[in-house]
Amino acid sequence: TFHSCTNPCDASVQGVQILGTSGQNVHDLAKYSVVKSPIDHLENTLRWRHIAPTAPDTLGCHAFTDTDPLVIRSCPHIYFAGNQASFASKLVEGSEGQQVR
């Protein structure tokens, strides 16, 4: 059965926290960075704790004034961006021992 979700999507499946986007955040970062690897952009957004650091300046997004819903408040187990040219995977370890794939 098809179940639609938001973009970005933050979901929990049997205790596994999953955070994902359709990939516009990664594509927009690539326009303004010397880093060209999508997986490196994804890792950077995870370390910066912000899903779309270029929004709303160069990435279409509603401007929020009170809180920023794109801030990553808890570390997901799985973090992904769709619509990339190829598949890549990397295990990233956080400063407190968290592991994200």
Side-chain angles (χ1 to χ4, degrees), residues 40 50 55 72 100:
D40 290 337
H50 200 281
I72 301 172
V100 180

Side-chain angles (χ1 to χ4, degrees), residues 8 15 35 48-49 79 82-83 88-89:
V35 176
W48 297 332
R49 299 184 60 97
Y79 184 41
N83 297 306
S89 178

